[in-house]
């Protein structure tokens, strides 16, 4: 499993690597060698005993190889498939109302503040820094309706070196906070401006996403226009679906001609193989079939689903329907901006289903590890670029020390990589994440961008 390098080797690590493949949820490579080329791509991954041969084939010096410590391993960077950057300021509060009331009471008033670019700069800088420290190498962000602030989020992600998908939020319907909306025409025009200006910046790791907030916030006319924009420009799409029962009922009333919530998006060409929909707790099997047929994916946001008492997604059933699925923090409906929390809450949600029905096949930590990494890359249609340590992909990785000196894990003895990963997923935090790489570049420790 090595190919001839297209560019020179920049660096080589030797030690334990853990990742997922389509076939195995957890593949452990002990005493492995991984080389990264000057373009940030994985040039080779081989065995330590092949050092001599690899160094000749790929033209690097064996003395330049960096050896990991015994309690260290590399894992793929985690992929947050759904996070509202604009809601980070009130994360950890305001979790006492169900979705629709929560939006009107807390969310819309805060999001309206992002017309102030100074406020946007403060919040967006903090959320990018925090998620990078937490090991999120790729984030799929919702911003707000404000185009310039949304562009600023793209700039900040680029400056800190995070891979990001950024959506300027579209909504032409809002009965709760009446001033926080656009006309359909404005929303369409500003979406086009957002896409054009973001693409013009040529940030290598940042992509625009067409972002209708969710069906209740949009008229059919706007949904149709956004579907057309996505199609004509071959763009990613993100939104929310079937998060809570009241919302599903509201969609039925607002779109009486549609057979289901999924059918609303499908009808407006918003379900494609580049679409990711958050939640989906209350989707029927027929709706999941439509997801599979269109190639659309789901983002599972268990902290949010618990915190707003929205529902419990049956991930096993989603996987049975062969629908692509990743994990999301859904800040601030979810109170934690850490994907490790999303991993834990995913396991909890699965266990709740097993408590209710002992026949339920509980997710394993290995499976949830895959959802947080490779699954996320598939859900965002980025799996030819990131998600695991396949040769040719970008090196998006976390250097984890399970026994970090001031960390939260007391390791009594060496347990081996599988147990070290399990301990990190269940007990670890940012103190265990020693380095973060995105596209081969070391982005943690953080480097503050230099003013231009
Ligand atoms: N549905 C529509 N908007 C939102 C939002 O901001 N957060 C969550 N959790 N669900 C939504
Ligand atoms: Fe959300």
């Amino acid at each position: 499993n090595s190919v001839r390098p297209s560019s020179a080797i920049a660096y080589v690590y030797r030690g334990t690597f853990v990742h997922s493949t389509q076939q195995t949820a957890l593949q452990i490579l002990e005493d492995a060698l991984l080389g990264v080329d000057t373009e940030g791509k994985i040039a080779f991954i081989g065995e330590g005993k092949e050092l001599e041969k690899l160094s000749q084939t790929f033209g690097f010096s064996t003395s330049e190889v960096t050896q990991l410590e015994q309690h260290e391993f590399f894992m793929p960077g985690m992929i947050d498939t759904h996070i509202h950057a604009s809601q980070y300021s009130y994360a950890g509060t305001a979790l006492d109302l169900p979705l629709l009331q929560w939006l009107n009471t807390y969310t819309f008033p805060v999001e309206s503040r992002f017309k102030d670019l100074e406020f946007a700069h403060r919040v967006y800088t903090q959320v990018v820094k925090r998620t990078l420290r937490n090991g999120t190498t790729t984030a799929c962000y919702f911003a707000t309706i404000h185009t310039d602030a949304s562009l600023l989020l793209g700039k900040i992600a680029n400056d800190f070196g995070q891979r990001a998908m950024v959506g300027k939020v579209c909504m032409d319907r809002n009965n709760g906070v009446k001033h926080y909306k656009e006309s359909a025409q404005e929303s369409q025009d500003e979406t086009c401006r957002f896409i054009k200006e973001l693409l013009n910046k040529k940030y290598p790791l940042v992509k625009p996403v067409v972002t209708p907030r969710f069906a209740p916030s949009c008229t059919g006319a706007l949904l149709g226009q956004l579907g057309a924009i996505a199609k004509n420009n071959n763009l990613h799409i993100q939104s929310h679906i079937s998060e809570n029962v009241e919302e599903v009922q509201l969609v039925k009333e607002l779109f009486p001609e549609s057979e289901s919530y999924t059918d609303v998006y499908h009808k407006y060409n918003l379900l494609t193989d580049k679409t990711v929909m958050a939640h989906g707790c209350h989707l029927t099997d027929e709706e999941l079939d439509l997801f599979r047929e269109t190639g659309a994916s789901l983002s599972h946001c268990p902290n949010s689903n618990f915190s707003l008492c929205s529902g419990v997604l049956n991930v096993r059933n989603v996987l049975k329907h062969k629908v692509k699925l990743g994990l999301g923090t859904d800040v601030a409906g979810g109170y934690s901006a850490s994907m490790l929390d999303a991993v834990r809450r995913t396991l909890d949600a699965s266990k709740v289903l097993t408590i209710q029905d002992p026949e339920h096949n509980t997710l394993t930590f290995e499976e949830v590890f895959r959802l947080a990494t490779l699954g996320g890359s598939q859900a965002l249609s980025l799996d030819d670029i990131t998600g695991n340590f396949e040769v040719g992909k970008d090196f998006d990785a976390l250097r984890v020390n399970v026994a970090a000196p001031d960390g939260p894990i007391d390791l009594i003895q060496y347990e081996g990589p599988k147990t070290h990963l399990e301990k990190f997923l269940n007990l670890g935090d940012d103190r265990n994440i020693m380095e973060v790489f995105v596209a081969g570049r070391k982005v943690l420790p953080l480097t503050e961008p230099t003013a231009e």
Side-chain angles (χ1 to χ4, degrees):
N1 46 347
S2 56
V3 293
R4 217 180 313 274
S6 50
S7 33
I9 299 299
Y11 54 88
V12 178
Y13 276 101
R14 182 171 186 166
T16 299
F17 291 78
V18 300
H19 73 155
S20 307
T21 67
Q22 199 57 41
Q23 291 75 31
T24 25
L26 175 58
Q27 187 174 65
I28 297 170
L29 305 160
E30 285 186 87
D31 190 30
L33 279 164
L34 183 143
V36 177
D37 70 22
T38 50
E39 285 168 16
K41 294 190 191 311
I42 300 168
F44 63 83
I45 179 154
E47 294 177 28
K49 62 176 189 241
E50 302 174 301
L51 176 60
E52 227 28 78
K53 191 189 87 192
L54 287 167
S55 77
Q56 279 159 25
T57 312
F58 292 94
F60 63 92
S61 153
T62 57
S63 61
E64 291 170 57
V65 175
T66 306
Q67 176 75 50
L68 294 189
E69 301 295 331
Q70 210 196 11
H71 296 113
E72 289 186 314
F73 60 85
F74 269 111
M75 63 172 271
M78 292 185 280
I79 299 180
D80 190 341
T81 59
H82 184 81
I83 171 167
H84 297 261
S86 52
Q87 297 171 16
Y88 185 56
S89 63
Y90 67 100
T93 69
L95 302 168
D96 57 339
L97 291 174
L99 175 67
L100 300 177
Q101 294 86 320
W102 175 85
L103 286 170
N104 290 334
T105 309
Y106 305 114
T107 306
F108 296 148
V110 170
E111 287 193 17
S112 354
R113 294 187 59 187
F114 283 73
K115 62 178 180 297
D116 172 359
L117 286 175
E118 199 274 324
F119 180 69
H121 189 273
R122 259 163 49 211
V123 178
Y124 288 159
T125 300
Q126 292 299 350
V127 72
V128 168
K129 288 168 74 168
R130 176 62 60 191
T131 53
L132 275 175
R133 282 199 210 99
N134 287 340
T136 300
T137 50
T138 301
C140 187
Y141 287 117
F142 273 61
T144 61
I145 66 172
H146 313 95
T147 304
D148 292 319
S150 304
L151 290 166
L152 182 58
L153 174 57
K155 178 185 188 308
I156 292 166
N158 176 71
D159 285 347
F160 282 96
Q162 188 173 49
R163 191 184 301 282
M165 311 224 299
V166 179
K168 171 231 164 308
V169 173
C170 296
M171 44 196 290
D172 66 340
R173 209 166 10 197
N174 190 349
N175 294 325
V177 175
K178 295 207 172 0
H179 64 91
Y180 187 56
K181 69 174 172 207
E182 324 147 280
S183 70
Q185 188 63 45
E186 243 181 309
S187 191
Q188 179 187 16
D189 293 348
E190 286 299 294
T191 294
C192 291
R193 178 165 84 84
F194 172 71
I195 293 161
K196 188 159 160 254
E197 293 194 18
L198 190 64
L199 292 175
N200 272 341
K201 304 282 186 192
K202 301 205 182 320
Y203 301 138
L205 304 175
V206 180
K207 290 184 203 295
V209 200
V210 174
T211 306
R213 177 169 213 116
F214 70 155
S217 298
C218 301
T219 59
L222 177 57
L223 292 174
Q225 289 159 354
L226 296 176
I229 291 170
K231 190 169 182 173
N232 296 337
N233 301 282
N234 187 26
L235 293 171
H236 284 82
I237 298 167
Q238 63 179 348
S239 191
H240 298 85
I241 195 165
S242 280
E243 182 173 354
N244 91 357
V245 172
E246 200 186 350
E247 172 211 6
V248 176
Q249 185 54 39
L250 177 59
V251 170
K252 229 178 242 164
E253 288 160 19
L254 293 173
F255 298 88
E257 70 291 354
S258 288
E259 276 166 39
S260 66
Y261 199 157
T262 305
D263 185 48
V264 173
Y265 290 133
H266 186 46
K267 198 170 141 192
Y268 294 113
N269 294 317
L270 290 163
L271 281 193
T272 73
D273 59 1
K274 294 176 89 173
T275 297
V276 60
M277 289 284 168
H279 305 286
C281 306
H282 303 284
L283 294 173
T284 63
D285 286 352
E286 290 70 39
E287 289 180 282
L288 288 174
D289 287 338
L290 193 47
F291 267 77
R292 185 190 53 252
E293 286 158 24
T294 55
S297 64
L298 281 173
S299 170
H300 177 39
C301 305
N303 189 315
S304 174
N305 293 341
F306 285 132
S307 292
L308 303 185
C309 300
S310 299
V312 183
L313 176 67
N314 187 332
V315 170
R316 185 63 72 198
N317 191 45
V318 173
L319 297 178
K320 197 177 94 190
H321 283 79
K322 304 215 172 322
V323 174
K324 295 182 287 179
L325 182 126
L327 306 186
T329 58
D330 195 27
V331 164
Y335 57 76
S336 170
S338 169
M339 282 296 293
L340 287 170
D341 172 86
V343 164
R344 294 164 199 167
R345 299 291 86 80
T346 296
L347 287 161
D348 289 349
S350 184
K351 286 169 185 178
V352 166
L353 295 173
T354 302
I355 291 168
Q356 292 171 346
D357 171 15
E359 299 286 293
H360 179 258
N361 183 8
T362 318
L363 296 173
T364 64
F365 86 84
E366 292 96 330
E367 288 178 297
V368 179
F369 169 70
R370 174 160 61 189
L371 295 178
T373 54
L374 185 61
S377 72
Q378 292 166 335
L380 299 182
S381 295
L382 295 174
D383 49 318
D384 49 349
I385 301 173
T386 185
N388 65 6
F389 295 135
E390 258 171 49
V391 170
K393 287 194 185 184
D394 284 7
F395 186 59
D396 289 4
L398 315 182
R399 181 176 177 171
V400 175
N401 181 356
V402 73
D406 296 312
I409 302 173
D410 296 309
L411 207 63
I412 309 304
Q413 58 189 19
Y414 179 83
E415 301 280 2
K418 184 174 164 182
T419 299
H420 290 173
L421 175 66
E422 187 178 15
K423 287 228 176 219
F424 170 65
L425 294 177
N426 282 314
L427 299 172
D429 64 26
D430 57 328
R431 289 168 290 181
N432 300 104
I433 302 176
M434 313 318 289
E435 295 176 335
V436 175
F437 294 84
V438 178
R441 183 181 148 209
K442 196 185 289 187
V443 297
L444 187 91
L446 298 170
T447 17
E448 295 290 334
T450 46
E452 65 263 28

